[in-house]
Amino acid sequence: MPFTTAGVQALQRGGCVPSIQQLEQWPLGPCADLTRFEPSTDSNAGTSRDGGSNTNLFNMRSAEFSEPGLDYEPSVPVMALRVDVAAREREIPVHEHRSGQLVIALRGAVSCEVPGALWMVPPQAGVWIPGGTPHSNRGTANALIFYLFVEPGAAPLPDRCCTLRISPMLSEMIQYLAGLPPLYEAGGPTDRLAQVLLDQLCAMPTEEIFLPMPEDARLRKISTAMMRDPSDRRTQTNWASELGMSDRTLNRLCTSLTGLSFGRWRRQLQMIVALRELSGGATVQQVAYDLGYESPSAFNTMFKKAFGKPPATYINDRFRVGG
């Protein structure tokens, strides 16, 4: 084990970790499940790696403990967690934590909403969410998601949300770390792995795969409807009428709040939906017709303008890198 018995016992006296017997049964494969442990009743109790006072390892409100990924405050520089989504989509409600969080999907897709934007996590990429940023996550059915929690100041990562490409080596390191116990000694094998992981993460190129999401209730009604039902084919005129305004007013509202005309904003929303559906296993033909395109070739053209490659090539390249 990457920590001593005496160290574990000291942590237990602070009410921070499970029993030694429980820790010995911790799964060392890729399916570590933090929900098997009970959080401390004292959220301020605990012992840091250097023996001083620290917050609880999980520091979670008990009502939220059944939702992995909410309010984790690890007492180590880096901690990884695996989340398997069941047959139905799963949404984690709005929350925030002090640690920065990287959200990656190795199977299926996950979207992350932060104030003012909806970020899409395509295969072999991750959305970086700085600490203190309110956000919610939604995973497609049967998605395989990994969260990487990074302590503030542990690495020179961006101070804004962004999408980071994830190399095959970095992906394997994150998966391996998720299978290890969440506590480890400074300078030990796991700590050295974590430091190399952070070095690699900081070197990853960024991508901008997001949709401006203003708080205006009228535009949110449109985006929510389209995200939930890609086959919704209401036109700008239909939406303007439903919202009690003219086409021109709707377009002006969208431009002022997102920097995009209504048509461009809707196309960008469609591309986000398309990426989600394709990553979840839908065919190009299914997505094309669901989004209202007259033919798959017309959809291919629009997708290539947005992402630089036709949809089938883009998705296949992503998953091939992951394999």
Side-chain angles (χ1 to χ4, degrees):
M1 282 190 146
F3 41 80
T4 65
T5 299
V8 171
Q9 291 172 339
L11 287 166
Q12 287 174 321
R13 286 195 293 272
C16 181
V17 297
S19 67
I20 296 173
Q21 289 75 23
Q22 287 175 308
L23 285 170
E24 289 174 344
Q25 296 170 7
W26 189 285
L28 297 182
C31 302
D33 181 5
L34 298 185
T35 60
R36 63 187 289 184
F37 300 120
E38 293 297 329
S40 167
T41 56
D42 179 3
S43 63
N44 293 319
T47 306
S48 68
R49 294 191 304 159
D50 61 3
S53 176
N54 201 347
T55 57
N56 184 281
L57 170 65
F58 300 128
N59 193 20
M60 299 175 64
R61 293 188 293 274
S62 58
E64 295 174 331
F65 192 72
S66 61
E67 293 285 357
L70 291 185
D71 298 330
Y72 280 1
E73 300 296 358
S75 57
V76 291
V78 185
M79 185 180 78
L81 168 67
R82 169 176 170 158
V83 176
D84 284 288
V85 180
R88 300 180 63 182
E89 284 193 343
R90 178 180 183 185
E91 181 173 10
I92 295 180
V94 176
H95 64 287
E96 63 181 81
H97 27 75
R98 185 173 60 86
S99 299
Q101 182 181 12
L102 182 74
V103 182
I104 66 173
L106 297 189
R107 183 180 68 234
V110 59
S111 57
C112 303
E113 186 169 352
V114 301
L118 176 70
W119 289 83
M120 188 67 205
V121 185
Q124 294 309 305
V127 168
W128 169 250
I129 304 171
T133 304
H135 60 281
S136 61
N137 303 327
R138 176 186 292 273
T140 59
N142 300 316
L144 174 57
I145 302 168
F146 284 82
Y147 296 146
L148 187 73
F149 296 93
V150 181
E151 277 285 273
L157 289 161
D159 59 1
R160 61 178 181 84
C161 289
C162 62
T163 305
L164 297 172
R165 286 298 301 264
I166 303 297
S167 69
M169 182 177 74
L170 181 56
S171 174
E172 292 294 334
M173 293 173 72
I174 293 172
Q175 294 176 64
Y176 182 77
L177 183 63
L180 298 178
L183 288 178
Y184 48 85
E185 290 182 342
T190 304
D191 188 52
R192 293 195 297 271
L193 169 69
Q195 295 305 318
V196 174
L197 188 157
L198 287 179
D199 289 342
Q200 290 296 310
L201 182 61
C202 292
M204 292 297 105
T206 61
E207 299 176 313
E208 300 293 323
I209 306 177
F210 76 99
L211 175 76
M213 289 283 284
E215 293 298 322
D216 184 88
R218 294 160 294 185
L219 292 183
R220 291 190 69 86
K221 181 177 181 179
I222 298 172
S223 63
T224 300
M226 289 193 61
M227 290 295 293
R228 293 189 180 280
D229 182 12
S231 63
D232 189 331
R233 300 186 182 183
R234 280 173 281 187
T235 65
Q236 177 177 333
T237 300
N238 296 148
W239 278 113
S241 176
E242 183 169 331
L243 296 174
M245 62 179 70
S246 67
D247 277 14
R248 178 176 295 182
T249 301
L250 176 56
N251 192 63
R252 187 164 53 243
L253 174 69
C254 188
T255 302
S256 66
L257 295 179
T258 69
L260 303 171
S261 67
F262 182 85
R264 289 185 60 195
W265 181 72
R266 178 169 179 165
R267 283 194 295 273
Q268 193 160 331
L269 191 154
Q270 287 182 326
M271 291 302 101
I272 293 292
V273 172
L275 191 55
R276 181 192 68 183
E277 297 301 309
L278 290 167
S279 299
T283 66
V284 172
Q285 186 174 20
Q286 286 174 323
V287 175
Y289 289 130
D290 281 348
L291 293 178
Y293 286 86
E294 294 181 356
S295 66
S297 62
F299 169 68
N300 285 352
T301 299
M302 187 60 63
F303 191 97
K304 186 175 181 179
K305 288 182 179 178
F307 297 108
K309 298 178 181 180
T313 303
Y314 182 90
I315 294 298
N316 287 339
D317 286 353
R318 290 277 185 168
F319 280 113
R320 183 162 58 249
V321 169

